[in-house]
Amino acid sequence: MHAFLGNAQLPSTPRGDRLEFSEWYAEVLRSAEIMDVRYPVKGMYVWLPYGFEIRQRVVEKLRRKLRETGHEEVLFPTLIPETQLKKESEHIAGFEDEVYWVTHGGLKELDEKLALRPTSETAIYPMFALWIRSHADLPLKIFQIVNTFRYETKHTRPLIRMREITTFKEAHTAHATEEEAEEQVKEAVEIYSSFFDELGIPYIASVRPEWDKFPGAEYTVAFDTLMPDGRTLQIGTVHMLGQNFARTFEVTYETEEGDQEYVYMTCYGISDRVVASMIAIHGDERGLVLPPDVAPYQVVMVPILKKGVRRKILERAAEVEEMLREEGVRVKVDDRDMSPGRKFHYWELKGVPLRIELGARELEEGTAVVFRRDELERETYAFEELPDVVPELLEDIAMELRKRAREKFEKGIFRTDSPEEARRLVGEGIVETGWCGSERCGVRMEEEFGGDVLGTPYPEEDTEFERCPICGETAEYTVRIAKTY
Amino acid sequence: MHAFLGNAQLPSTPRGDRLEFSEWYAEVLRSAEIMDVRYPVKGMYVWLPYGFEIRQRVVEKLRRKLRETGHEEVLFPTLIPETQLKKESEHIAGFEDEVYWVTHGGLKELDEKLALRPTSETAIYPMFALWIRSHADLPLKIFQIVNTFRYETKHTRPLIRMREITTFKEAHTAHATEEEAEEQVKEAVEIYSSFFDELGIPYIASVRPEWDKFPGAEYTVAFDTLMPDGRTLQIGTVHMLGQNFARTFEVTYETEEGDQEYVYMTCYGISDRVVASMIAIHGDERGLVLPPDVAPYQVVMVPILKKGVRRKILERAAEVEEMLREEGVRVKVDDRDMSPGRKFHYWELKGVPLRIELGARELEEGTAVVFRRDELERETYAFEELPDVVPELLEDIAMELRKRAREKFEKGIFRTDSPEEARRLVGEGIVETGWCGSERCGVRMEEEFGGDVLGTPYPEEDTEFERCPICGETAEYTVRIAKTY
Ligand SMILES: [Zn+2]
Ligand SMILES: [Zn+2]
C-alpha cells in the first residue's frame, strides 16, 4: 500500500448544510484516497488505487446484470465525425455547447472535425443500420462502458460533474415494435432499481418534463437520489427514443411480410455518480462506509500485539484469514508497524465493513472482537463461529445500510399543496405537489419555488393533489421539485 | 447471440504471402466477429461482442499479473495540457506529428490546447512529483488500462495500427536507485514473457537501437513476434527512463540522510496488438484458434438430434454441461435450429478449443465425440471420463499451440554473415548478423537489406559473428533486422 495522498486525516467537518457537505465530500475523497483533484485540467481527476477498485467492483456488478439480461458488450471509438453528430438536430441542439472538438492531427488541420463523444447515439446508430437487416436480428441489445466528455460550464466536482466522465455505462437497444421498446424501458428500470438497491442507494424514478428530457428522446425516466445537503443527484436515466433516431440514421428492418420498417429504440445510462452517491449517502463523520459487495476489503484484521504472545497472535490472525477466505470473504491482515489505534482510524476512514481485533485476551479466551463500521459497535464472538458469523454480518450490514438510507430518504420527501410551504421545503429535499401539466406552470414553479422540476412519478400514478398551486386548475399529475446537482 | 455481421463465412483465402495474409486477417476479423471496420473514421474500429470478450479475458490476465507483482491500478484523464506534453523536449519531438489536439469546448476556443494522450508519461509524472515525498514512498508501481490516440499516417489496420488504440496497458514506476530501476526492467520483461507464453505467442526481446528507442528513454527493450507473412510485430516495450523525466517534472524524494534526489523511472506497455498476434499466429484456414485461457467458450456442445431420442440427447447434453461447469470449464450447448454441419463450421471459425458431439449413437454407447480445434481431429471418450478429460485436453491444447507457434517462429530466425543472404532473407523472417555497433552501419543495413533494425539481443549475449557486414570491422553485437509492421 502506497500512501498516495500522505497520511489519512479525519474529515474535519461534520455534514449537514450545503457548505459542510461539500467540504466533507472533498475531504473524504482525498483522505480515503478515492480521487486526486490536483490534475491540471479543470473538471478532470485521477482515480487512485483504492477508489479505482471500488469503481471496478461497482462496474462489474452492473456489467453482470446487463449480461444476465441479454445485453452484449461492445466498444465504439471515442471520436465522432461532425456531420454524424449533427445529423439529429434536436440531439445536437442539446449538446452543442458542451462538445469538445478535435481539429488537428499532428500539425495538420483535419478535413473534418471530430467530437469527443458526449454520449454515443450518433456513433452507434449508423452501425445499427448496418447490423440490422430483418426481424430476426431484433431485439438488438448492446452496451459499452466508456469515458465521455462534456465541456461543463457549471461548477465541476469529482464524480458528480466532470468534464471527463470516466465511467459511463450506456446501453442501446432496437426493437420491432413500440410495445417491445416500452417493455425494454421497463426492463431497464428494473435492472437499475435492483442495482441501486444492492448498493443501498435510495431513489425515486420520475418521468422528466418535456423541457428536460434527453435531446432526441420521446420521454426520459430518471432516477434521482438525495444527497445529505438536500439536493437531488440524477444517478441514472432511461430514454424511450421511439423511431426518432431510426429515421435520422435509416435504421430499418424487413418484417415477416417483407416490408421495410423503422425500428423502435431505447437507450439508458449510468455514470460515476453512482459511486458519488454511495459515498455521500452511507458515509459518516469517520469517513467512508462501504456496502460489503463493493468494498475492496470486507474485513480487516488488526492484531493487537503484545510481547510474549506476538507470534501466536499473528498465527491466529493467519488462521482466521484462511478460514474467511475459504468462505469467499475479502480479508486483509494489517500487520504494519503502527499502533492499533491508528490502524482502526485508517480502516474506518476507508469504510471497511468489519474489523476483527485479535489480542492476548482473545487468544486466551478463544474469541475475537468484531467491530461493525455501520453501527460503530463491537461484539465478541467465539473463534470457531467466525466463518459463519462474518458472512452473516456482512449481509446484515448491506441490509442495514439500505434500510437506514431509505428511511432518511423518505424523510426528505415532502407532500404539500401550499406554494409557501413548497418554497420553504425545496432545498430540504424533494417536494411533491399538484400540477395541471402545462409547461407554463411547470416553469413558473421552478422560478417561484427555487428548484427544478424532476417530473412526474414513474410508473404513472393517480395524483392525490387537487389543484395546481400555480394556476389553480385541476391537478392532473403529482409533480416533484427539488434543488438539483 | 445476435449475428452482427451476417452469416459467418469461411475465410476465402489461404495464408502465406503478404497479400494473402492481409486478406485472411481482414476476413477472419470480420467473419469471426472480432471487429467491424466500417466505422466512418479512418483507423478507428468497433469491437464486436465476441471480440470484446476475448479482449476482456486477455486484459484480465495481464491485470492479474500486474497486481500479483505489486502494481496498483489507477486511471488518469485522457487529455493532457499542451505545456505539460511539450515539457520534455525529446519526448514531444517523438510524438508531435501524431498528436490529436482538442482546440474547442462547445463553440468557444480553449485557452490552452489539450492533447489526446498518445501515451501518459507527461500526464502521470507531475502527479508522481506530488505523491512521492520520501524514500518510504518508493518504489511506486502503478498501471492503467486506457485508450490512446495517434494520428497515424501509415496504412491503418485493426488491432495492428490504429488511430485510437483501444487497449493500452501502461505501467509506470519510480525507484530510489538506478539498480532498483534496472531490476524493475527485468521484472517487467519477466511479466511480459510469462504473459505471452501463456497465450502461446512466441517472441524475442531486443534492445532497440538508439535511433528507435522510446522518445525520452535511456534504452528500450522491445518484444517482437513474427506474423505469418514474415514481418515482425512489436507487441510490448519496456523503457528505462533513468532520471530524464524525473528532472523534467521535478520528481524527487528525500533520502534517509535527508537529501533531495531525483527518482529513477521505468515504464512499459502492451496494446491491442497482443490480440492481433494471437489471432494471426494460431489461426488457420478455418478461422480463429483460441488459447483455452482466453476463449469466451472453451467447449461447445453440438447435439446431433434424431427423432425419437431428441429429448434424451438434450438431457444428456445438459448433464455434460453441468459436469463441465463444475470443473470450471466455460461451456455452451448450441441448441439452435440449424444443421450440425453449420454449427461445426460456425464454432470452428470462432476458434472454440473443443467441440463435443452428442448423437443417438453416443447416447447408446455412453460416449461422446470430442473434436480438437487445434489438430482438427476427433476422439471418442466414455461419458464419465469427460470431467477429467476435458480440462486435460484444454491444457494440452494450450501447450500444443505454444509449441507449434514456437517451432514455426524459430524457423523464421535466420543467422548469416553474408550481406547478399541477409538481403534475400529479410522479408522471410528475422535476420541476425554481426554489427560493429555504429549507427552509420545500422542505418546502412536498413537501406541495403530492406528492413528495420530491431536491435541487439536482450539480455545481452556475446555475438557469434565476426564482422560487421557493412564496414568489415569486428562485430561487437549480434543485430536483428526484419521487415516490420
Ligand atoms: Zn397549472
Ligand atoms: Zn560497421
Side-chain angles (χ1 to χ4, degrees), chain A residues 1-5 36-41 44-50 52-53 55-57 60 63 67 72-81 84 95-110 112-114 116-117 122-124 126-127 130-133 136-142 147 149 151 163-164 166-167, chain B residues 1-6 36-41 44-50 52-53 55-57 60 63 67 72-81 84 95-110 112 114 116-117 122-124 126-127 130-133 136-142 147 149 151 163-164 166-167:
Chain A
M1 281 169 301
H2 178 86
F4 282 85
L5 300 179
D36 196 324
V37 301
R38 294 172 293 175
Y39 191 79
V41 180
M44 300 186 184
Y45 312 100
V46 179
W47 278 103
L48 295 171
Y50 194 71
F52 187 84
E53 197 165 338
R55 168 191 187 265
Q56 282 306 88
R57 293 190 183 277
E60 278 309 315
R63 178 175 265 147
R67 293 196 168 201
E72 296 188 282
E73 190 164 1
V74 297
L75 184 58
F76 273 73
T78 306
L79 301 175
I80 306 174
Q84 203 163 309
F95 284 106
E96 80 188 327
D97 291 343
E98 298 189 352
V99 174
Y100 280 104
W101 291 104
V102 177
T103 58
H104 289 73
L107 305 169
K108 192 173 152 288
E109 191 171 346
L110 299 178
E112 181 173 17
K113 286 198 290 184
L114 300 169
L116 291 185
R117 60 180 159 224
T122 60
I124 293 176
M127 299 304 289
L130 298 172
W131 293 342
I132 297 167
R133 293 266 145 270
D137 294 326
L138 298 174
L140 175 60
K141 293 161 70 176
I142 61 148
N147 51 349
F149 298 83
Y151 182 66
R163 287 186 167 181
E164 178 176 3
T166 67
T167 318
Chain B
M1 282 169 300
H2 179 87
F4 282 84
L5 300 179
D36 196 323
V37 299
R38 293 172 294 175
Y39 191 78
V41 181
M44 301 185 183
Y45 312 99
V46 179
W47 278 102
L48 295 171
Y50 194 70
F52 187 83
E53 197 165 339
R55 168 190 187 266
Q56 282 305 87
R57 294 190 181 276
E60 278 310 314
R63 177 174 267 147
R67 294 199 166 198
E72 296 188 282
E73 190 163 0
V74 297
L75 184 58
F76 272 74
T78 307
L79 301 175
I80 305 174
Q84 203 163 311
F95 283 107
E96 81 188 328
D97 292 343
E98 297 189 352
V99 174
Y100 280 104
W101 291 103
V102 178
T103 57
H104 288 73
L107 305 170
K108 191 174 154 287
E109 192 170 347
L110 299 178
E112 181 173 17
L114 300 169
L116 292 185
R117 62 180 158 224
T122 60
I124 292 176
M127 299 305 290
L130 299 172
W131 293 341
I132 296 167
R133 294 263 145 271
D137 294 326
L138 298 174
L140 175 61
K141 293 161 69 176
I142 61 149
N147 50 348
F149 299 83
Y151 182 66
R163 287 187 167 181
E164 177 175 3
T166 67
T167 318

Side-chain angles (χ1 to χ4, degrees), chain B residues 369-383:
Chain B
V369 174
V370 180
F371 173 85
R372 272 178 78 143
R373 178 66 184 87
D374 61 333
E375 296 179 334
L376 303 176
E377 276 172 16
R378 283 179 169 83
E379 194 138 352
T380 301
Y381 294 96
F383 174 70

Side-chain angles (χ1 to χ4, degrees), chain A residues 138-162:
Chain A
L138 298 174
L140 175 60
K141 293 161 70 176
I142 61 148
F143 73 103
Q144 63 176 3
I145 301 170
V146 296
N147 51 349
T148 63
F149 298 83
R150 310 260 169 104
Y151 182 66
E152 293 281 358
T153 48
K154 292 192 203 170
H155 181 69
T156 53
R157 193 189 300 264
L159 303 179
I160 291 180
R161 176 163 278 111
M162 305 198 287

Side-chain angles (χ1 to χ4, degrees), chain B residues 152-171:
Chain B
E152 293 281 358
T153 48
K154 292 192 202 170
H155 181 67
T156 53
R157 195 189 299 265
L159 304 178
I160 292 179
R161 175 163 279 112
M162 305 199 287
R163 287 187 167 181
E164 177 175 3
I165 297 164
T166 67
T167 318
F168 185 56
K169 187 289 299 167
E170 47 179 331

Side-chain angles (χ1 to χ4, degrees), chain B residues 35 195 267 280 374 410 430 479:
Chain B
M35 276 199 148
F195 174 66
C267 65
D374 61 333
E410 301 288 355
I430 298 160
V479 68

Side-chain angles (χ1 to χ4, degrees), chain A residues 1-2 4 31-35 47-56 288 290 294-298 346-353, chain B residues 72-74:
Chain A
M1 281 169 301
H2 178 86
F4 282 85
S31 55
E33 302 194 309
I34 304 298
M35 274 198 149
W47 278 103
L48 295 171
Y50 194 71
F52 187 84
E53 197 165 338
I54 295 168
R55 168 191 187 265
Q56 282 306 88
L288 292 182
L290 293 175
V294 296
Y297 302 114
Q298 298 170 311
Y346 180 90
W347 293 112
E348 284 170 14
L349 181 49
K350 296 236 171 183
V352 177
Chain B
E72 296 188 282
E73 190 163 0
V74 297

Side-chain angles (χ1 to χ4, degrees), chain A residues 436 438 441 468 471:
Chain A
C436 64
S438 79
C441 287
C468 171
C471 66

